[in-house]
Amino acid sequence: MKKFLISLTLLCGVCLNASAQKLTDLVNPFLGTATLWDEADLHYERHRKARTWGAETFPGASVPNAMVQLSPVTMYHSGAGYQYEDSTICGFTHTNKGHWNLLHVPFMPVSGKNVNIENFASRFSHANEEAHPGYYRVHLDDYDIDVELTSTLRCAFHRYTFNRGRHHQVIADLARSNNEVRAWEIEEAGDNAFKGSQTTSEGRIFFYGTTNAKISNIDIQKNDKRGIAIINFKPGGKKVEMKVGFSFVSVEGAKANLMAEIAEQSFEQIRKSADDKWELMLSKIKVEGGTERKQRLFYSCLYRSLLWPALRSDVNGDYTDARGNIVNNGFHYYTDPSFWDDHRNKLVLLELLQPEVTIDIIKSCIDRGEKRRGYMPTFFHGDHASTFISGSWLRGLRDFDLNRAYKLLLKNATVPGRGGRPYLDEYLKQRWIADVDIPGIKYFNEHKGAVTKVLEYSYDDYAVALVAKILGDKKNEEMLLEHSKNYKNMFDRETGFYRGRNDKGEWIKEFDPYYPYFQHMYRESNAWNNLFYAPHDIEGMMNLYKVGSISLPNGEGTIQGNEKQIVEQLLDKMFRDPWRGYEVENLTGFIGNYCHGNQPGHSIPYVYYFCDKQEKSQAILDSLMNNYYDMGRDHLALAGMDDAGEMSSWFVFNAMGIYTYSPADADYLVTVPLFDKITFNTPARHFSIEKRGNGRKITSITSGGKEISGWFVNDADFRSSKNLVITTR
């Protein structure tokens, strides 16, 4: 079984030349499937029965940005559905993201005359389980069945070896999903084929499958609680193979996908094809030096960064659009990105490694936005497609209609309405959003999350202003740049924190910067983890602290000095003061009071740079990379939710020595790599990043042999093949 157990070899730091072996062999798909349980990792005592959220990753088979993610389920309505600490499997589903949705079309092989339709899960052991990119295997103990899974973009390939008995069956558990299931159907389509669909709150998915074993019948069984379909096979050989095509358009589309992508190919051929796709993708970045552990972490995180968004169009280009119509516009149609989570870094990595996919994702967002009230799609919280669009264009991705995208983005920023930014009317009228001023609000009470919204809307306005500038819309550029300063309206100069205001404009009275909230003032964070957020206006943010002194809340003292000294002292205090024991399911992975397990604070460690203390930033970054990506009892947990690849992408960028501090711009902040050399090789970019010296303090940065002034390098240097050299001591 592939685990990240720290062996003596790893502890000794033996180096591995990644180019000497297949990169897919370095990937561990189990990374992120485990949960943090112990106080030493959580920084609080567990009292609730509820499981603390893990990274919510899945170990199953998929290829990059596919329609199909074929993975085991140990528990429904529990993140990605697979928790490493669980001991039973209840099915194998065909879509996954790492959130609390999807898990379409569960199949479960069983053996025996009678099936308990309410509970047919099987025990399994990690000793008889393995996962590689594009392949998953497990033994089902209760049925003595070996399960092997592999996949293509739109199809799944199941291979079951029945080691006992003559009753070979597969349960189609179509009444189950992580979404609300509204309808389902399945029927025979010949002696060796079946077809059907499942309709959930996220639409209708169709499937068409063929089998090597003859189907005797499909038996529908229901009681007051459950309903399942049982595919019964006629007695025959031990192995049952099922090739299943999927489509979000029609059964005919699912069948066409199956014929185009698998047809008569064997399981071994499809598995090799999946492995080859991953090897080609991973080889776009090659690293040299570093320990084996660090290289395994790097390629496991790179793998995890490239699974989402997911394809939703068929091989002929047909897709079901936002209005429910079947259309074909000549591009591959994808789901929306998880904008709040992954605009920070993951989408930039996608731009660098998968520009064609990125362009099709943008076209999909434009198509969806034009058919949904004219707003660019948003996700969960905030409005961050703007950073994706501006950053993609500035990094040289031009094969999409920027004017169409800009029309949607501008409406998001200027026109209140359903589908756009929440509370935009307040934001435009008074340049800030009010929150409630009620004593005793607890973590999970939902309100406006006003502080976080204003900070993020300000940054989004800056990103839209970049697009306005490109298109020559000077009037709106100036207006949006003015709005991009609105973050300052949430800054309390007395305490030095961004702080909520009530509807009278007064500061929220009950203010404890250590207390976490789900959506009161701050989104899934506290005041500490919202500090210094203004990635577009570093100078303006630093100037907020030109106040001589600040008085910390709750009588914790006064900080004095110039702006750099005050910011540095606040950072020191943040990374020093311990988390105060709040038991919150989605806030884990702390250095002091900084939470790496959720996204809002991910730009904070770099703020030391602007206090002329780069080495302090690097100390935090090194601690995070060394200690927060193979945590827990089995060394398979991340500090928090991976959120469709954001947490993993953070590691990839920092391990390479660059980070997307302002993803709307085409600049990268330079850090110290984990490796001696990183070679980047794509059609648009061929460059290397080289580390010289063994220290963590940067003494010089050169690009193409020319020394850089400051800490940022522009993407244009990478497109012109200028090699980056980072010298340290």
Side-chain angles (χ1 to χ4, degrees):
M1 181 196 66
K2 297 183 70 176
K3 286 187 181 180
F4 269 33
L5 296 178
I6 303 179
S7 66
L8 288 176
T9 300
L10 301 188
L11 289 173
C12 291
V14 175
C15 293
L16 174 75
N17 184 355
S19 62
Q21 70 177 110
K22 290 182 63 177
L23 299 180
T24 52
D25 290 339
L26 297 175
V27 174
N28 186 356
F30 288 108
L31 185 64
T33 62
T35 301
L36 294 175
W37 295 97
D38 300 330
E39 184 179 354
D41 291 322
L42 292 171
H43 295 265
Y44 55 75
E45 291 184 13
R46 294 186 70 255
H47 298 287
R48 300 175 183 172
K49 292 183 179 180
R51 179 182 53 83
T52 300
W53 297 357
E56 311 306 335
T57 63
F58 60 92
S62 188
V63 294
N65 301 107
M67 181 182 293
V68 168
Q69 299 84 33
L70 177 53
S71 194
V73 176
T74 62
M75 182 186 300
Y76 287 92
H77 307 292
S78 176
Y82 179 96
Q83 307 298 334
Y84 192 79
E85 60 271 14
D86 290 346
S87 58
T88 60
I89 288 174
C90 52
F92 301 92
T93 59
H94 295 85
T95 62
N96 211 306
K97 178 184 179 182
H99 278 262
W100 278 258
N101 59 340
L102 303 180
L103 306 191
H104 286 104
V105 188
F107 288 161
M108 181 67 176
V110 298
S111 59
K113 291 184 178 181
N114 300 311
V115 175
N116 179 353
I117 72 172
E118 292 183 17
N119 183 14
F120 43 81
S122 172
R123 291 168 293 176
F124 76 104
S125 166
H126 294 307
N128 292 315
E129 182 186 40
E130 65 177 299
H132 307 273
Y135 175 78
Y136 174 84
R137 179 191 67 81
V138 71
H139 182 77
L140 301 179
D141 293 342
D142 288 335
Y143 303 114
D144 198 12
I145 298 173
D146 294 315
V147 175
E148 294 177 276
L149 310 173
T150 188
S151 63
T152 67
L153 280 172
R154 303 171 179 87
C155 304
F157 203 141
H158 300 242
R159 181 161 68 184
Y160 308 135
T161 302
F162 292 81
N163 296 302
R164 70 176 185 223
R166 293 169 53 83
H167 296 280
H168 301 164
Q169 303 164 313
V170 173
I171 294 174
D173 194 10
L174 298 175
R176 271 192 176 177
S177 165
N178 264 7
N179 301 322
E180 176 195 357
V181 177
R182 296 171 178 173
W184 58 271
E185 59 184 357
I186 185 172
E187 61 181 296
E188 295 176 57
D191 288 345
N192 295 79
F194 58 90
K195 63 183 179 180
S197 69
Q198 184 187 52
T199 304
T200 74
S201 53
E202 293 197 11
R204 189 177 185 187
I205 186 171
F206 301 86
F207 55 89
Y208 180 90
T210 62
T211 69
N212 67 327
K214 287 190 175 182
I215 299 172
S216 61
N217 71 301
I218 297 179
D219 181 23
I220 308 297
Q221 294 190 12
K222 294 183 179 181
N223 64 17
D224 293 340
K225 297 179 180 179
R226 292 292 311 280
I228 61 172
I230 304 175
I231 305 173
N232 294 292
F233 295 99
K234 293 181 179 179
K238 290 176 60 176
K239 291 187 185 295
V240 172
E241 293 185 346
M242 299 198 316
K243 304 173 180 180
V244 190
F246 291 87
S247 169
F248 285 83
V249 176
S250 65
V251 167
E252 293 74 23
K255 184 176 181 180
N257 293 339
L258 180 62
M259 295 303 105
E261 294 183 0
I262 297 184
E264 301 303 317
Q265 293 184 81
S266 68
F267 187 93
E268 286 72 18
Q269 287 175 308
I270 297 302
R271 179 185 175 182
K272 183 180 184 303
S273 176
D275 184 82
D276 289 346
K277 286 183 172 66
W278 278 113
E279 186 71 19
L280 180 63
M281 184 62 60
L282 298 172
S283 66
K284 293 180 179 181
I285 306 177
K286 292 193 176 180
V287 301
E288 299 174 36
T291 64
E292 179 179 354
R293 171 176 173 263
K294 289 177 181 177
Q295 291 200 3
R296 290 187 181 279
L297 281 174
F298 180 83
Y299 284 106
S300 296
C301 287
L302 182 58
Y303 161 81
R304 188 62 60 185
S305 302
L306 298 171
L307 288 162
W308 195 265
L311 183 65
R312 286 295 181 262
S313 54
D314 291 341
V315 289
N316 66 353
D318 286 357
Y319 64 91
T320 301
D321 70 7
R323 293 173 179 167
N325 298 318
I326 299 173
V327 298
N328 191 322
N329 286 310
F331 60 86
H332 300 291
Y333 192 66
Y334 288 89
T335 59
D336 285 335
S338 301
F339 283 122
W340 189 62
D341 308 304
D342 60 22
H343 81 279
R344 306 165 200 270
N345 50 46
K346 180 261 178 63
L347 291 178
V348 179
L349 191 61
L350 193 72
E351 292 162 11
L352 300 180
L353 296 179
Q354 294 265 62
E356 298 86 1
V357 170
T358 301
I359 288 169
D360 281 346
I361 292 169
I362 292 172
K363 290 179 178 179
S364 302
C365 290
I366 293 171
D367 183 80
R368 203 171 286 114
E370 289 176 340
K371 295 172 180 176
R372 287 182 179 170
R373 305 180 186 89
Y375 292 101
M376 182 63 77
T378 61
F379 176 84
F380 182 62
H381 181 88
D383 174 30
H384 302 304
S386 53
T387 71
F388 181 40
I389 301 298
S390 64
S392 296
W393 189 270
L394 292 171
R395 289 182 182 87
L397 280 64
R398 304 291 168 82
D399 190 21
F400 64 93
D401 192 328
L402 187 62
N403 282 286
R404 288 172 62 194
Y406 176 60
K407 182 179 179 181
L408 299 172
L409 294 172
L410 188 61
K411 184 173 181 180
N412 280 37
T414 60
V415 181
R418 183 183 174 193
R421 298 181 186 180
Y423 313 112
L424 181 62
D425 50 349
E426 282 187 65
Y427 178 81
L428 294 176
K429 181 180 179 180
Q430 60 198 23
R431 302 293 184 87
W432 50 273
I433 299 170
D435 224 316
V436 294
D437 198 348
I438 302 173
I441 290 178
K442 300 301 181 184
Y443 173 72
F444 273 109
N445 292 149
E446 289 222 29
H447 293 279
K448 294 181 180 179
V451 175
T452 303
K453 280 187 172 64
V454 172
L455 301 184
E456 295 182 353
Y457 289 177
S458 299
Y459 183 57
D460 295 329
D461 287 338
Y462 167 77
V464 182
L466 292 177
V467 181
K469 182 178 181 179
I470 294 166
L471 296 175
D473 184 357
K474 188 68 174 177
K475 180 180 178 181
N476 280 315
E477 178 194 356
E478 292 176 352
M479 176 268 294
L480 290 162
L481 286 176
E482 185 62 30
H483 287 188
S484 75
K485 301 174 185 176
N486 289 344
Y487 72 93
K488 298 179 181 180
N489 295 327
M490 308 309 290
F491 184 72
D492 176 8
R493 295 180 182 274
E494 182 178 348
T495 64
F497 288 91
Y498 296 125
R499 182 175 178 177
R501 303 171 70 171
N502 63 25
D503 54 9
K504 296 178 181 178
E506 302 165 338
W507 298 119
I508 297 291
K509 292 182 176 60
E510 188 174 286
F511 179 67
D512 179 354
Y514 293 91
Y515 190 82
Y517 293 102
F518 190 70
Q519 178 117 291
H520 172 52
M521 295 193 284
Y522 315 100
R523 181 78 212 193
E524 297 185 28
S525 57
N526 60 15
W528 279 109
N529 284 278
N530 282 262
L531 268 176
F532 316 123
Y533 185 83
H536 59 298
D537 188 17
I538 296 167
E539 183 179 357
M541 180 275 292
M542 294 294 292
N543 285 339
L544 293 175
Y545 293 90
K546 280 187 175 180
V547 292
S549 68
I550 58 173
S551 299
L552 295 171
N554 305 328
E556 294 200 16
T558 300
I559 293 177
Q560 296 180 326
N562 62 35
E563 64 273 23
K564 291 184 179 181
Q565 292 169 335
I566 290 176
V567 169
E568 182 185 0
Q569 290 176 74
L570 280 171
L571 286 166
D572 289 348
K573 184 173 178 58
M574 179 183 193
F575 291 113
R576 182 182 66 243
D577 282 10
W579 183 253
R580 300 197 171 183
Y582 298 111
E583 185 178 2
V584 179
E585 284 88 344
N586 64 342
L587 293 178
T588 54
F590 300 97
I591 296 181
N593 207 63
Y594 165 77
C595 176
H596 194 63
N598 213 321
Q599 285 76 19
H602 276 188
S603 61
I604 289 176
Y606 309 95
V607 178
Y608 275 122
Y609 274 77
F610 315 126
C611 305
D612 303 323
K613 295 296 174 67
Q614 170 270 326
E615 66 277 15
K616 283 191 171 184
S617 276
Q618 195 61 51
I620 299 299
L621 301 180
D622 287 345
S623 179
L624 293 169
M625 287 188 285
N626 288 329
N627 302 305
Y628 288 72
Y629 279 82
D630 54 355
M631 301 176 70
R633 301 172 186 177
D634 297 291
H635 302 284
L636 292 173
L638 304 186
M641 281 190 67
D642 191 50
D643 280 314
E646 190 277 345
M647 190 77 70
S648 294
S649 296
W650 186 98
F651 184 94
V652 170
F653 273 117
N654 284 284
M656 291 194 297
I658 54 177
Y659 188 69
T660 55
Y661 186 76
S662 173
D665 293 292
D667 296 320
Y668 309 93
L669 184 139
V670 177
T671 65
V672 181
L674 284 184
F675 307 104
D676 298 329
K677 188 175 182 179
I678 301 96
T679 303
F680 208 102
N681 189 14
T682 71
R685 295 171 177 82
H686 182 81
F687 63 89
S688 66
I689 301 172
E690 184 179 349
K691 180 185 68 173
R692 294 181 183 172
N694 296 318
R696 308 306 285 174
K697 180 178 175 63
I698 298 174
T699 57
S700 73
I701 304 168
T702 62
S703 179
K706 183 179 179 180
E707 189 157 0
I708 290 176
S709 175
W711 300 109
F712 290 90
V713 61
N714 190 268
D715 186 72
D717 285 6
F718 295 153
R719 279 180 275 142
S720 57
S721 302
K722 292 183 179 179
N723 296 328
L724 186 69
V725 177
I726 305 165
T727 303
T728 68
R729 63 171 170 81

